[in-house]
Amino acid sequence: MHALIVWGGWDGHEPEKVAGLFRDMLEAAGGHVTLADTLDPFDDAEGLQRYDLIVPVWTDGVLSREAATNVSEAVARGTGLAGCHGGMCDAFRSSPLWQFMTGANWVAHPGGDGMNYRVRITSDDPLVTGIPDFDVVSEQYYLHVDPANRILATTRTDVVTWYHSPNGPVDMPVAWTRDWGLGRVYYNALGHQPDVIAEGPAREMLRRGLLWAAAGKAAAKGRDLTPMMTPGNHW
């Protein structure tokens, strides 16, 4: 398994440390990891398609249309995409293709950091089998989420009162999987600070998600992407 971890963007999410956590998980599973503190690897369309997994750790930032397309095409051909928190679903806010591919975009974290909330496992998928519900003290992400996502865990958005409160609390997805072409996409909203995902159930969820997404490369081998392709732009 060969993985690319691209880290940078807003320093408040400590991207270098989060990238190090992901590197450790992948190397412990026998993976070879390339770390980059620049978006330059996304400009290499052919190079991206040689990876089993791409892990973005890049809150905010700007991604060119060409680079977004390169990542999309790599994932569509089987390269996995996996990440957490703002490093994946609050990255590249001006790129609708990125949001479509990852399955959501961040819009708020009512109450800020230090919110105490429960993560509830809502699936019998092997990615969360044996992981109990658990409590988190961190930001609680409010996301605009693709209804096609396969939800693994949720949290109830009733921990703080704000302008959204008259709409009533909802079960906000915390972790999910989805497909993009022949590729696998995994996201987990936890990880505002590295300590939130450094141990316990949150770390185990992410570890499994990274490996699951990477395994999609082998599963895609020999499959035909052509039936999913039509002429013209779609974003």
Side-chain angles (χ1 to χ4, degrees):
M1 173 183 55
H2 192 182
L4 170 68
I5 301 176
V6 175
W7 66 269
W10 184 56
D11 288 338
H13 280 156
E14 299 187 75
E16 185 173 10
K17 291 183 179 180
V18 173
L21 287 173
F22 287 148
R23 178 200 61 215
D24 292 347
M25 292 178 193
L26 293 168
E27 289 183 343
H32 173 73
V33 177
T34 297
L35 281 168
D37 61 354
T38 171
L39 294 174
D40 289 351
F42 288 175
D43 294 326
D44 182 359
E46 292 185 5
L48 288 175
Q49 294 183 29
R50 290 193 286 268
Y51 289 104
D52 298 290
L53 179 67
I54 297 170
V55 183
V57 188
W58 201 290
T59 302
D60 204 356
V62 176
L63 191 66
S64 71
R65 184 184 183 94
E66 293 76 15
T69 299
N70 291 342
V71 178
S72 171
E73 292 299 315
V75 176
R77 285 160 175 77
T79 297
L81 182 69
C84 76
H85 201 63
M88 182 158 151
C89 281
D90 188 23
F92 319 129
R93 298 172 187 173
S94 62
S95 176
L97 177 58
W98 185 266
Q99 295 164 15
F100 196 8
M101 178 172 56
T102 58
N105 61 290
W106 170 87
V107 292
H109 41 63
D113 197 7
M115 295 294 99
N116 192 332
Y117 60 94
R118 172 148 284 228
V119 173
R120 293 181 171 84
I121 305 301
T122 58
S123 172
D124 60 0
D125 190 289
L127 287 173
V128 288
T129 298
I131 296 177
D133 296 349
F134 59 98
D135 293 324
V136 176
V137 179
S138 184
E139 289 181 343
Q140 185 185 49
Y141 260 19
Y142 203 108
L143 298 142
H144 285 177
V145 180
D146 190 328
N149 294 342
R150 296 183 292 271
I151 307 303
L152 301 172
T154 65
T155 184
R156 194 72 170 165
T157 61
D158 56 1
V159 297
V160 66
T161 300
W162 197 50
Y163 298 149
H164 65 297
S165 298
N167 300 306
V170 297
D171 292 318
M172 181 61 58
V174 170
W176 61 77
T177 63
R178 60 188 280 109
D179 299 319
W180 189 256
L182 302 178
R184 298 177 178 182
V185 178
Y186 173 86
Y187 175 73
N188 193 308
L190 303 177
H192 175 59
Q193 299 295 338
D195 64 291
V196 177
I197 56 172
E199 59 185 9
R203 180 186 175 92
E204 178 60 15
M205 287 175 70
L206 276 163
R207 187 192 69 82
R208 294 184 193 182
L210 291 169
L211 299 180
W212 171 84
K217 184 75 169 191
K221 189 174 182 180
R223 294 175 61 196
D224 184 9
L225 183 63
T226 306
M228 303 180 201
M229 303 170 70
T230 55
N233 293 323
H234 301 280
W235 63 283

